[in-house]
């Protein structure tokens, strides 16, 4: 008989900043703007804790570099598309059992005062295209 489900461990990387040219307007593509991304990786870290070996866990430094590259390359119209792309990156390691990706677009082209535009997507393996 199995016991209660163990909630996943979590690695979060917050505030990955990059300069991107994402957006539907010509000036967004031409001028670009800063995007900020937070990622949450759900995984079981017990093997890494027992071995004290980086090979037994997700290398969050590599994930951060990949997310940064996604922000700065291959412009897309929508932050929804960018978030999906980053979720796919996060789920590439089979140890990751779920992810949440938050995109901040603090310089979005909105004509009223605002602090930030934020989109969060949550994905499990097999749910991303």
């Amino acid at each position: 008989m199995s016991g209660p489900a163990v909630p996943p461990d979590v690695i979060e990387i917050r505030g990955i900043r990059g300069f991107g040219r994402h957006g539907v307007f010509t000036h967004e593509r031409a001028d670009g703007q800063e995007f900020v991304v937070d990622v949450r990786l759900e995984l079981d870290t017990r093997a890494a804790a027992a071995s004290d070996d980086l090979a037994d866990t997700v290398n969050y430094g590599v994930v951060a570099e990949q997310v940064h590259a996604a922000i700065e390359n291959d412009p897309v119209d929508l932050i929804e598309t960018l978030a999906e792309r980053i979720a796919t990156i996060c789920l590439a390691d089979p140890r990751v059992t779920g992810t949440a990706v938050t995109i901040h677009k603090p310089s979005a082209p909105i004509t009223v005062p605002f602090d930030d535009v934020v989109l969060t997507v949550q994905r499990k393996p097999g749910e991303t295209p």
Side-chain angles (χ1 to χ4, degrees):
M1 173 167 259
S2 64
V6 176
D9 300 324
V10 174
I11 295 174
E12 291 183 312
I13 312 167
R14 299 180 185 161
I16 303 167
R17 289 174 158 55
F19 188 84
R21 297 181 182 278
H22 311 289
V24 296
F25 297 112
T26 304
H27 72 276
E28 291 180 290
R29 293 293 179 101
D31 301 337
Q33 61 191 286
E34 182 180 63
F35 291 82
V36 182
V37 176
D38 307 322
V39 297
R40 172 186 168 98
L41 309 172
E42 297 176 359
L43 67 156
D44 186 340
T45 63
R46 289 177 287 187
S51 70
D52 199 30
D53 188 342
L54 180 60
D56 289 332
T57 192
V58 174
N59 185 329
Y60 53 79
V62 170
V63 173
E65 291 170 359
Q66 292 170 336
V67 169
H68 186 261
I71 296 168
E72 295 209 334
N73 297 305
D74 301 322
V76 295
D77 288 344
L78 302 176
I79 58 173
E80 291 84 350
T81 306
L82 179 60
E84 197 70 36
R85 179 185 293 166
I86 293 171
T88 300
I89 290 167
C90 293
L91 293 171
D93 188 309
R95 293 172 290 206
V96 177
T97 59
T99 189
V101 175
T102 301
I103 308 284
H104 300 264
K105 188 175 180 180
S107 299
I110 297 176
T111 60
V112 297
F114 74 102
D115 289 332
D116 199 0
V117 171
V118 180
L119 166 72
T120 299
V121 300
Q122 298 177 28
R123 299 291 183 266
K124 299 277 184 199
E127 292 180 345
T128 57

